[in-house]
Amino acid sequence: MRYLLVEDNLELAEAVTKRLALDGHAVDHAASLADAEDCLAVGRYDLILLDVMLPDGDGRAFLARRRAHLETPVIVLTARSRVSDRVGALDQGADDYITKPFDFSELEARCRAVLRRRGGAARNQIALGAATFDPLAGTLRHADRTLDLRNREIRLLEVFARFPGQILSKGQLMDRLFSHDADVTENAIEVYVGRLRRRIENMGLRIETVRGLGYRMDLDGT
């Protein structure tokens, strides 16, 4: 998943970015609302983590302005613990909030919960044909077999799981897997797709190469 973190506390931003990266997520950091606008103009995100107090404005006002045409789920990060502040953030379009200081495990759990709700799922498991994918546990089960996936494999399979049967270009996969400042090329996508393809080929799934266009996951594979 690709996240946008809007936070002016550089120490906190670095800590959050590193923690989410351990799970294979790509995180773009914006230290101001202006930087956030620039990121949203060129990137597509699965989730936005939005601070309230920023150098060039209030994150809640920013959210209220953009919510009409911003479909990306938003979790507000706030040091304000009053009920009225939390209610205000939710009324202005936040999908959830978390109060600073927060435990990273709680932040990760709230991220997962928001993404599940947006995806219409109540549980972590995702049905992929006859297989069951659990991004939290990092497993793929088919019949009596269970495959343990590595972090980058988990995130790549998550992307294919969100768009079953659709052709995804290398550029689209890069946008989902890597932050905008990551020093990677489209060759990296070929490597990761190749590794994942080999690992899931006996799990009822198949990743097809569509020449000149990209890749598509077939749920009726061998």
Side-chain angles (χ1 to χ4, degrees), residues 104-156:
F104 286 130
S105 60
E106 181 184 0
L107 176 63
E108 291 170 324
R110 288 183 180 272
C111 290
R112 291 193 297 269
V114 166
L115 290 170
R116 283 200 307 271
R117 290 199 298 269
R118 279 300 180 103
R123 304 175 62 199
N124 289 311
Q125 288 80 10
I126 301 172
L128 297 176
T132 301
F133 173 45
D134 188 333
L136 179 56
T139 59
L140 181 68
R141 289 186 287 108
H142 180 263
D144 59 349
R145 299 183 64 237
T146 299
L147 176 66
D148 292 318
L149 300 167
R150 303 180 181 92
N151 282 344
R152 193 68 72 182
E153 293 169 344
I154 295 169
R155 301 311 160 208
L156 181 56

Side-chain angles (χ1 to χ4, degrees), residues 9-200:
N9 183 318
L10 298 184
E11 184 176 353
L12 175 60
E14 183 178 1
V16 170
T17 298
K18 287 183 177 179
R19 179 60 179 254
L20 293 174
L22 289 175
D23 284 335
H25 299 293
V27 182
D28 290 337
H29 172 228
S32 66
L33 295 178
D35 290 344
E37 293 279 11
D38 290 341
C39 290
L40 290 170
V42 298
R44 182 178 178 182
Y45 297 94
D46 298 291
L47 180 65
I48 297 173
L49 303 174
L50 178 64
D51 188 20
V52 169
M53 304 285 288
L54 291 156
D56 52 350
D58 189 314
R60 294 166 302 177
F62 167 83
L63 175 59
R65 290 195 307 270
R66 292 193 60 101
R67 196 31 126 182
H69 55 274
L70 180 68
E71 297 183 356
T72 308
V74 176
I75 297 178
V76 167
L77 313 178
T78 176
R80 300 172 178 176
S81 59
R82 293 183 305 177
V83 172
S84 59
D85 291 320
R86 301 196 297 269
V87 170
L90 294 171
D91 283 344
Q92 287 164 325
D95 294 85
D96 199 356
Y97 65 86
I98 187 167
T99 304
K100 300 178 182 177
F102 50 78
D103 186 90
F104 286 130
S105 60
E106 181 184 0
L107 176 63
E108 291 170 324
R110 288 183 180 272
C111 290
R112 291 193 297 269
V114 166
L115 290 170
R116 283 200 307 271
R117 290 199 298 269
R118 279 300 180 103
R123 304 175 62 199
N124 289 311
Q125 288 80 10
I126 301 172
L128 297 176
T132 301
F133 173 45
D134 188 333
L136 179 56
T139 59
L140 181 68
R141 289 186 287 108
H142 180 263
D144 59 349
R145 299 183 64 237
T146 299
L147 176 66
D148 292 318
L149 300 167
R150 303 180 181 92
N151 282 344
R152 193 68 72 182
E153 293 169 344
I154 295 169
R155 301 311 160 208
L156 181 56
L157 186 54
E158 271 189 307
V159 177
F160 282 117
R162 293 190 65 185
F163 304 98
Q166 296 186 33
I167 299 173
L168 300 174
S169 69
K170 292 178 182 177
Q172 288 174 314
L173 294 175
M174 285 188 67
D175 284 342
R176 294 289 181 171
L177 295 177
F178 301 103
S179 59
H180 62 76
D181 58 351
D183 185 18
V184 295
T185 67
E186 291 188 351
N187 289 337
I189 295 298
E190 295 179 9
V191 172
Y192 287 123
V193 169
R195 290 176 181 171
L196 181 61
R197 174 187 282 143
R198 289 190 295 272
R199 300 206 70 202
I200 68 175

